[in-house]
Amino acid sequence: MSVACCRVPNFLLGMTYRHHPEWMERPLALLGTDEQVWAASPEARVSGVQVQMSAQHARMRCPNVWLRPLDVQACENEHSTLLGTLARSGLPIESPTWGMAYVDMRAVARTALAVRPFCIELGQQVGHALQEPLNVSLGWDTGKFTAHAAAHHARPKHARLVNPDDELKFLNPQPITLLPLPSLTLQQLDWLGIRTLGQFAQLPTNEVVRRFGPAGKYAQQWARGHDTRPVCATERSTPEPIEVEFDPPTALHTAVLEQTWSALQQPLTELAQQLEGCRRLRLDVYFANHETRDIHLAFIEPLGAGAQLRAQLAHQLQILNWPDEVERVHVQVLATGELLAQQLSLFPLDDGQSEMDEMIRALCGRHGAVLLQAHVRDNMHPIAERRFVFDTLARAVA
């Protein structure tokens, strides 16, 4: 394998700043057509604003956040410019998300020294096509994950080429948040003191698979520098379409949502086990009066079978005009993509139970009451042992 990763950091923000430079240096969140946050500035992220968060939640996290609609068409045009520039090389290209693409360079060279001139030329061509403030960074390796990590490590307008002999030396100190694992998994690993790829790679594989499933196995292989995934120049294979029938027909939104979501669990889970998610989803809703409505969902980044995808599906069903009772729903995943790395969340994404509460319950159920939380009983008591009381965290979140 010989793979180059071309990455434009903060692609959506850079496009917006090009047209509105006065919005820089302020907390900014860009909203997509689904009224979800598609990009957030560093100032907004510090306050807890995250991608795929609703506008309401973003304002709760950061009251002075500047909410503005994203010019999706302009971003699509610029992304097409990026892909078109790379396509002129005549090499296979795969684009997992906005402002990023893999280039299969096996036909060019298979060593860092031999591929260096071509990478420099390719980076210059892309930089000239995109122009400021969109700055490209390039990474190269014999596998897609390490190439992606190298592109993250490289400074803007620079390339980071990783020799196969230096692969582990490069990967070991890199943060584990480069792996596209669920945020709860990353939080558990952080609690265990596993914060680098090298630490994660040294864990026993059997224990990783037992705790985190097939996705953990793939992630550990990548952390060890073993990634044999090819660059897919064509559309990825998608799961088979799903038919959900309602007998008798129903006009209840909750029933349609729950049965449709239940039918989607298996294909989404199978994708997540391979560290892939859904990028585009189509629903054809058939009513008892023979009318049909269609729903198209497109996501800023691939999503798994989590609360974010379910919430957007529920929202689209709620705003859909229902002329009659629903007889059946035809569901098809139109496009999938590689899950992107997530950052550890300082705040829960909803106002209900947090992910930390769920993790505490899981750990206490597995290991017993070993996690304790101190409460002040009487800070003026003369005996130190009676100033505090310790409760198990399982009781605290019950």
Side-chain angles (χ1 to χ4, degrees), residues 169-222:
K169 182 179 179 181
F170 167 74
L171 286 175
N172 285 342
Q174 301 301 320
I176 197 172
T177 49
L178 288 175
L179 292 170
L181 292 170
S183 58
L184 182 58
T185 299
L186 293 175
Q187 191 71 68
Q188 289 179 352
L189 291 170
D190 183 74
W191 276 32
L192 294 172
I194 308 299
R195 300 184 177 91
T196 66
L197 296 179
Q199 292 173 323
F200 184 63
Q202 293 174 5
L203 294 176
T205 301
N206 291 339
E207 290 299 314
V208 170
V209 175
R210 184 173 63 86
R211 180 179 288 253
F212 304 119
K217 178 181 178 181
Y218 281 115
Q220 190 179 52
Q221 290 176 351
W222 298 354

Side-chain angles (χ1 to χ4, degrees), residues 288-351:
N289 64 349
H290 305 295
E291 291 191 33
T292 306
R293 299 285 190 273
D294 58 82
I295 298 174
H296 291 267
L297 292 174
F299 310 113
I300 181 63
E301 58 187 40
L303 294 181
Q308 295 175 349
L309 196 154
R310 188 181 189 279
Q312 295 198 36
L313 180 60
H315 174 70
Q316 292 298 323
L317 288 172
Q318 285 177 342
I319 65 176
L320 185 68
N321 178 21
W322 291 32
D324 205 336
E325 294 184 331
V326 177
E327 284 189 334
R328 62 189 175 93
V329 176
H330 179 87
V331 187
Q332 185 172 8
V333 177
L334 298 178
T336 64
E338 175 186 336
L339 291 175
L340 301 181
Q342 304 182 40
Q343 299 299 319
L344 296 180
S345 173
L346 297 178
F347 305 95
L349 294 181
D350 52 56
D351 298 324

Side-chain angles (χ1 to χ4, degrees), residues 274-291:
Q274 302 176 35
L275 295 177
E276 293 189 0
C278 174
R279 293 184 66 185
R280 291 192 294 122
L281 187 69
R282 176 189 172 102
L283 282 78
D284 294 300
V285 186
Y286 297 87
F287 296 90
N289 64 349
H290 305 295
E291 291 191 33

